[in-house]
Each structure stands twice: as structure tokens, then as C-alpha cells.
Amino acid sequence: MTAWPTTEPAEVELVSGDARLAVDLRGGNLRALTVGGWDVLDGYPAGTVPAGRRGGVLLPWPNRLRDGQWTWEGQQLQLDTAGPGKPAAHGLVGWQRWEVLARHSDAVTVGTLVEARPGYPFRLAAAVDHLLGEDRLTVTVRVRNAGERPAPFGAGMHPYLSVGATADGGIGDAELTVPARTALDLDGGLPTGTRRPFDGAVGRIGDRPLDDALTDLTRDDDGWARVALRGPAGALELAVDPAWPWLQVYSGDTLPEGQRRRSLAVEPMTCPPNALADGVDLVVLDPGESWAGTWTLGWTAA
């Protein structure tokens, strides 16, 4: 037998008017979103390894888990980390294969299975629905407990929003409003146990470093909370439904040179960093039970 698995990058592309979306089936990432000549998402070339979890699906936890350690129902659990003293970061699905479950010209659903393993002895089915319009992307993350015991998890996504900057530091010229009133105090990206008030009327970002886990979201009458980012290329609005009580806002200060502070990560999250250990806002699904959360990204060109 001489068969080999495919070695070509695998992705699916949607088109609606001038808008084009590429979903990477390695990790389920939002690899690219362009509208005409505007890269609305600061993505990465097909087949390359993205820095900073660009466009990533964060499951079964977003953000960081201190030392990869947590306890559930009296069982001490240890997830893989990058080394001693390092956290476990951004979940388990970032490099595994996703498959196309349903597809139309302007919509696609991709999915994967989180198998039980040391450190996370639960089984989850995950699906992400993408609907592309001429001025808006709608993303719904769905999770179902495919195991035989209650399963705790958190979810998030990691899009980097671009409003025209192409050089390091260029995001400083953008104007930002975040509908959040409380920030979690962090040290090395992990909670210290305290919180502080947050003024979401950021205005011009300038040299301000942002890497904040935010909650107490201010919501409109429809229950959605809306982030506004404006720059030379146009205006973006990222909106989250009530299933997402947290946002992480990150200005990319620690990214590699050539990618630093040129875009803004705005991450919808169900829970804050270290939630598996702290138990804050974890979702727990009984066997067969499902959860879903929707967020949207709208654009208006300058």
C-alpha cells in the first residue's frame, strides 16, 4: 500500500459581494477576512503557523490556566504546558483537524471532536457556523457533551481586528470603545484575585498597552454588547450575545516583530483566564446537553 494523507493546506472559502472569508480546517481558525482591498482580520498566509493564536477557536478553555493544573469533583488534573512555571493556554483544538459539516456559497459549518485525555477527561463535540454577508460576519459556536458524565468547559475565539495599520505600532492611531465596566487584575495573564473599574471609552489607543480580561458588559436593549474600533480603513463593530460575558482585548505588544501592535485582538469568551481552576463562569453540560453562543463582526469602509 502506498497511500499517504493529504499534505496540502485545507481550508474553505466563502464569498459575499466584495467580502471573502477563509476558514482554516487546521484548528478551525478564521484565517482571513477581506473586503475589497481591506484586510478586516489580521490573519496569516495559508499553510503557515500563526503567531498569537490568530483567528483561533479556544476550547475547552480560553486564555491561560495556571501551571495547567485544576481539580474537578475531587480529581486533580494536569494539562500539558510549555514548561515548568508555564500555563496551559488557549485550549486543545488549535492544531487538530476540523471537517466541513455543511456548506453553501455564503455559509459553512465546521466541526471537530475533543476526545477525553489526561488533564481533560471529557468528550465534547464542537461546531462553528459562519454566515458571511456583504457587511457582516456572523459566527455561532456550538458545543455538545458527547460523553457520559457532566463536562465543564469554557469557549472563546481570537480574531485580530484590522482598521488599516500595516506597520508595527500602527494600531495606536485607532479609536476604541469597549462596553465593559470591570477588568480582572492580571499578572502574567493570570488573575491575582482582585478586580478594578474599567473605563471603556478608550478613545485613541496611542501607546497604551492593552491585555485586559473584561466583564460587566454594557448591553443594548437586545442583550448584545458592542465593541467599536475605527481607523484609516474604516469602522468595525464586534458584537456578542449574552452567552459571552467576557472579552479579552489585546494590542499585540508581545507578538513577533513585524506583527506587533498593528491590529487589536478582541476575544469573545465565556469565562476569564484560569476559569477551570477558579470555577468562574464555567459552563457545565450534562451528557447530551448543548450550548451555543453567537458573535458578529460588521464593517463600514472609510
Side-chain angles (χ1 to χ4, degrees):
M1 295 186 180
T2 59
W4 295 94
T6 180
T7 59
E8 294 300 316
E11 65 181 31
V12 59
E13 184 175 272
L14 303 180
V15 179
S16 180
D18 290 335
R20 289 181 173 270
L21 174 71
V23 179
D24 193 344
L25 296 179
R26 177 199 53 181
N29 302 339
L30 298 173
R31 188 186 67 75
L33 173 60
T34 60
V35 180
W38 177 11
D39 290 322
V40 171
L41 292 183
D42 188 5
Y44 58 95
T48 63
V49 178
R53 289 307 310 273
R54 293 183 181 276
V57 181
L58 315 179
L59 186 75
W61 74 90
N63 224 296
R64 295 166 176 81
L65 175 65
R66 183 177 281 109
D67 298 320
Q69 297 175 352
W70 63 299
T71 301
W72 186 254
E73 295 182 338
Q75 183 181 6
Q76 294 185 346
L77 299 166
Q78 176 68 62
L79 287 154
D80 291 339
T81 70
K86 298 288 188 180
H90 297 318
L92 300 171
V93 301
W95 303 111
Q96 75 181 46
R97 196 71 162 182
W98 291 59
E99 62 180 307
V100 175
L101 304 178
R103 182 176 181 179
H104 304 280
S105 61
D106 60 351
V108 68
T109 296
V110 299
T112 195
L113 190 64
V114 180
E115 291 285 6
R117 67 197 71 196
Y120 191 80
F122 308 97
R123 197 166 187 256
L124 303 176
V128 183
D129 308 317
H130 309 79
L131 175 62
L132 184 65
E134 294 186 7
D135 63 355
R136 188 171 307 275
L137 171 66
T138 301
V139 178
T140 299
V141 181
R142 296 184 285 116
V143 179
R144 181 173 59 85
N145 184 350
E148 298 179 352
R149 58 186 291 199
F153 78 93
M157 290 196 72
H158 208 307
Y160 283 78
L161 311 187
S162 175
V163 286
T166 57
D168 284 6
I171 196 62
D173 293 327
E175 301 273 342
L176 173 65
T177 303
V178 185
R181 293 168 289 194
T182 300
L184 201 62
D185 288 323
L186 302 174
D187 181 13
L190 290 162
T192 64
T194 58
R195 301 185 181 196
R196 68 183 188 278
F198 181 83
D199 183 359
V202 175
R204 185 178 182 274
I205 294 173
D207 294 330
R208 177 175 176 176
L210 295 166
D211 195 2
D212 297 298
L214 305 171
T215 192
D216 290 340
L217 303 186
T218 302
R219 297 186 180 272
D220 296 331
D221 291 343
D222 59 3
W224 289 59
R226 292 172 167 86
V227 177
L229 183 68
R230 181 181 296 272
L236 298 177
E237 179 192 86
L238 188 146
V240 296
D241 77 2
W244 309 99
W246 291 83
L247 295 168
Q248 184 86 17
V249 178
Y250 170 54
S251 50
D253 298 71
T254 59
L255 291 175
E257 186 175 348
Q259 303 178 33
R260 198 170 296 159
R261 293 185 62 83
R262 73 182 186 194
S263 56
L264 186 74
V266 180
E267 307 166 42
M269 303 190 303
T270 61
C271 58
N274 212 48
L276 286 179
D278 296 338
V280 178
D281 289 338
L282 280 181
V283 179
V284 181
L285 297 178
D286 288 329
E289 188 179 7
S290 298
W291 169 92
T294 298
W295 61 274
T296 65
L297 179 62
W299 49 87
T300 304

